[in-house]
Amino acid sequence: MPRGKLLGGSSGINYLMYVRGSKGDYNGWDEVGNKGWGWDGIAPYFNKHQCLDDMGDRHPDPQFMPFAARDKHHGADGPIHTSFNDYYEPFEHDFCTAAYESGDHMGFYNSLAAVNRSTEHGRRSYAATGYLQPNQSRKNLKVLTEAMVSNIVLDGNTANGVSFKHNGKSHEVRATKEVILSAGVIQSPQILELSGIGDPEVLKAAGVECKVENKRIGANFQDHVLGGVMYSLKDGVQSLETLANADYAKAQQELYEKSGKGPYGSAGMTMGFVSYAALVDKATLEQTIKEIREHSVAKTDFEKATEEVIIKQLSDPTFANIQTFCIGAGLDVSKGSDQTEFFSPPTEGKGRVSLLVCLEHPLSRGSVHITSSDPTAHPRIDVGYLKHPVDAKILAAGMKWMDKIAQRPILAKSLGDRILPPQNASMDTEEERIKYVRNHISTQYHIIGTCAMGDAIDERLRVKGVNNLRVIDASTFPGHVSENIMATTYAVGEKGADLVREDDGRYLRKVDSPQN
């Protein structure tokens, strides 16, 4: 599982997609006990962190690059710049048109991306450029790179510092107010467990003394599971893979260096959302819900509550359960553990396109736990993909829908043979589609939930059982969201900062205050 080992973390290496979840995602967080985290509670923080750059020239199809209700729903002066691509291929618009023709969708468009098109045209906008660089001169900020945290220092059940190693030496820094842990979905539970906070059985097996029992640390791991199909493109149809041509690549590099435009300055992806309830008939939906309960993997009250939220969402024909993508490159979803094979080089002169489907609200759960007291030892990650059989069933329904879209004439005119699954492989039955899905899935790198609100931590992001210790990162998401998680991670960070200020008392300000 790749991690962003640089200033700005994984926001410096991700695919740049800027998408927000559905209102129902965040209202679901509220329903499982996290008051204040429903849509009304988190929505202002999306606007706060965002700066939507106006590129001037817009696509003539307003559905392809939607600017609707810009003043109400988008930020204009936040630290993270977002913009639409200035590069796209005609077949990407054809994909959206084909999807609209199907009628079963929640919108298809060329996605916003975290790309700066106002002050640094065509450059990635991420946590380091948006939050760190403008504040580097502050006297109360000290950033230490290449330092590894060993553990949080506890005095009984109160956090009062952090131990770490730097340049081969051990150090300890004390906190006068509280310790804030933002190490991410993998490292945040790892650091807590190394500190003796977690499930006593997990800690004992790793050789760590249990100081504060919290059995939900490291549990509730969730990820968006990615599946899909790959086609060759007909001769003469350009894609991102045309960059394999030296002359074309040189011309695009020169264009980018001159103007910041072209494929090197854009995040190449078109996307959209569909509802499972809109893809199947009533009897199939009822059978699916029955199977969810029959094969439930939920054991705790929290897990049962989140499962009921997913059932409610799955039953709603207006709720986005499946995300789809059109990427002008070959992406083998069975090779996600190796980036060199995941995006493999194209055959000379032959382009490919990947039509992908993603399970947005998995019923399956995994975990992240230490197996050693050594901070340099990687924790064990159990991704838990498709543990619940209904997850594969929902993905298979998405595959069937995508096959229908690929056959629409407006898109089919650009497509050659199907590469994955092979052209001669039957995908006619649900059984065949499920079998394919089970052998051709990948992470979408949207991992969440290992220090979940309402479970391991409370709604103010405080670790249960520990004083003066908070977690603020994507590990706090109690359930998954219909989006690439970057936007919500920034929103959680912004709201978390306000919670810290509120609890401190000296810096209480409203998010919508003119002075904020």
Side-chain angles (χ1 to χ4, degrees), residues 19-227:
V19 193
R20 299 175 183 178
S22 303
K23 287 184 178 180
D25 290 323
Y26 310 107
N27 290 339
W29 291 10
D30 188 278
E31 287 174 26
V32 297
N34 298 299
K35 300 305 176 187
W37 286 92
W39 172 251
D40 291 340
I42 197 171
Y45 295 97
F46 287 108
N47 290 16
K48 184 182 179 185
H49 75 247
Q50 184 194 20
C51 177
L52 177 59
D53 290 345
D54 190 343
M55 298 161 53
D57 295 336
R58 299 178 188 174
H59 194 277
D61 181 355
Q63 292 182 136
F64 189 57
M65 292 186 177
F67 267 84
R70 172 179 177 168
D71 293 341
K72 179 179 179 181
H73 295 301
H74 293 277
D77 56 4
I80 302 301
H81 290 262
T82 64
S83 61
F84 288 105
N85 295 327
D86 57 30
Y87 158 87
Y88 49 87
E89 296 296 345
F91 69 79
E92 295 181 72
H93 185 256
D94 292 343
F95 169 77
C96 290
T97 302
Y100 275 108
E101 289 175 352
S102 77
D104 305 320
H105 59 79
M106 256 119 276
F108 284 80
Y109 47 88
N110 194 268
S111 175
L112 279 174
V115 177
N116 187 330
R117 299 195 188 278
S118 59
T119 59
E120 293 183 289
H121 203 93
R123 300 291 296 273
R124 177 187 290 267
S125 179
Y126 65 112
T129 58
Y131 287 95
L132 178 59
Q133 287 183 0
N135 293 291
Q136 286 185 104
S137 62
R138 287 175 54 160
K139 294 180 179 180
N140 63 343
L141 175 65
K142 173 69 174 179
V143 177
L144 190 63
T145 60
E146 307 206 23
M148 174 170 278
V149 172
S150 304
N151 61 277
I152 295 159
V153 178
L154 296 176
D155 182 7
N157 65 341
T158 298
N160 57 20
V162 174
S163 294
F164 64 95
K165 287 190 175 181
H166 184 250
N167 289 336
K169 296 182 179 179
S170 296
H171 303 271
E172 188 175 292
V173 61
R174 290 283 171 168
T176 57
K177 290 288 184 179
E178 61 179 287
V179 175
I180 298 172
L181 182 56
S182 301
V185 177
I186 306 300
Q187 268 72 47
S188 282
Q190 179 187 20
I191 291 171
L192 290 171
E193 290 182 342
L194 288 170
S195 307
I197 304 166
D199 185 329
E201 292 185 8
V202 171
L203 301 183
K204 182 179 180 180
V208 174
E209 177 190 356
C210 182
K211 298 180 179 178
V212 177
E213 180 177 320
N214 186 328
K215 293 184 177 181
R216 300 303 296 167
I217 299 296
N220 196 52
F221 177 99
Q222 299 170 54
D223 191 8
H224 284 157
V225 182
L226 190 66

Side-chain angles (χ1 to χ4, degrees), residues 180-497:
I180 298 172
L181 182 56
S182 301
V185 177
I186 306 300
Q187 268 72 47
S188 282
Q190 179 187 20
I191 291 171
L192 290 171
E193 290 182 342
L194 288 170
S195 307
I197 304 166
D199 185 329
E201 292 185 8
V202 171
L203 301 183
K204 182 179 180 180
V208 174
E209 177 190 356
C210 182
K211 298 180 179 178
V212 177
E213 180 177 320
N214 186 328
K215 293 184 177 181
R216 300 303 296 167
I217 299 296
N220 196 52
F221 177 99
Q222 299 170 54
D223 191 8
H224 284 157
V225 182
L226 190 66
V229 297
M230 186 198 307
Y231 282 83
S232 64
L233 290 168
K234 289 184 177 177
D235 292 343
V237 178
Q238 281 195 166
S239 70
L240 288 171
E241 294 190 332
T242 310
L243 290 167
N245 178 284
D247 291 338
Y248 179 78
K250 181 181 178 182
Q252 296 305 317
Q253 181 68 34
E254 290 173 352
L255 173 65
Y256 178 70
E257 291 175 355
K258 180 180 179 180
S259 65
K261 295 184 176 182
Y264 288 123
S266 297
M269 185 181 290
T270 299
M271 69 170 63
F273 294 88
V274 292
S275 166
Y276 178 74
L279 300 186
V280 300
D281 57 33
K282 182 178 179 182
T284 301
L285 178 60
E286 290 175 350
Q287 178 62 27
T288 299
I289 293 171
K290 180 181 177 182
E291 291 174 13
I292 290 174
R293 294 197 166 105
E294 286 178 348
H295 302 284
S296 176
V297 295
K299 297 177 181 178
T300 68
D301 290 344
F302 174 81
E303 290 173 339
K304 292 173 182 177
T306 55
E307 183 177 86
E308 287 302 312
V309 167
I310 293 174
I311 290 173
K312 176 182 176 182
Q313 294 168 341
L314 206 62
S315 305
D316 183 353
T318 67
F319 191 83
N321 317 108
I322 300 171
Q323 188 178 21
T324 69
F325 303 100
C326 173
I327 304 178
L331 195 155
D332 186 341
V333 291
S334 67
K335 304 288 180 61
S337 61
D338 185 339
Q339 291 286 301
T340 62
E341 295 185 23
F342 196 40
F343 283 99
S344 58
T347 303
E348 186 174 353
K350 275 288 185 183
R352 299 166 296 179
V353 61
S354 298
L355 304 177
L356 307 173
V357 294
C358 179
L359 178 67
E360 294 296 271
H361 303 90
L363 292 150
S364 304
R365 295 290 183 269
S367 62
V368 175
H369 291 301
I370 60 171
T371 60
S372 167
S373 60
D374 180 2
T376 66
H378 295 312
R380 182 183 62 244
I381 305 171
D382 173 12
V383 294
Y385 297 156
L386 308 187
K387 280 184 178 179
H388 197 301
V390 168
D391 284 346
K393 184 173 184 172
I394 296 170
L395 267 178
M399 290 279 294
K400 180 181 180 181
W401 181 87
M402 186 61 83
D403 189 53
K404 181 176 71 171
I405 298 305
Q407 294 177 34
R408 302 292 298 187
I410 192 169
L411 180 59
K413 71 178 189 289
S414 298
L415 304 182
D417 290 339
R418 194 176 67 195
I419 301 171
L420 286 175
Q423 186 74 29
N424 60 357
S426 173
M427 297 289 285
D428 294 336
T429 69
E430 182 181 67
E431 183 181 7
E432 289 170 332
R433 292 189 293 271
I434 287 176
K435 182 178 179 180
Y436 175 77
V437 162
R438 285 197 167 276
N439 291 284
H440 294 82
I441 57 168
S442 168
T443 174
Q444 203 183 344
Y445 310 105
H446 296 169
I447 57 177
I448 64 127
T450 51
C451 299
M453 274 189 284
D455 195 21
I457 65 175
D458 67 18
E459 73 279 1
R460 299 191 72 79
L461 308 181
R462 299 171 300 202
V463 177
K464 291 182 178 180
V466 185
N467 301 317
N468 302 342
L469 178 59
R470 228 182 282 246
V471 181
I472 308 179
D473 57 32
S475 72
T476 66
F477 294 16
H480 229 312
V481 287
S482 307
E483 57 142 324
N484 305 53
I485 64 171
M486 174 173 60
T488 298
T489 305
Y490 283 129
V492 167
E494 289 281 9
K495 184 174 174 69

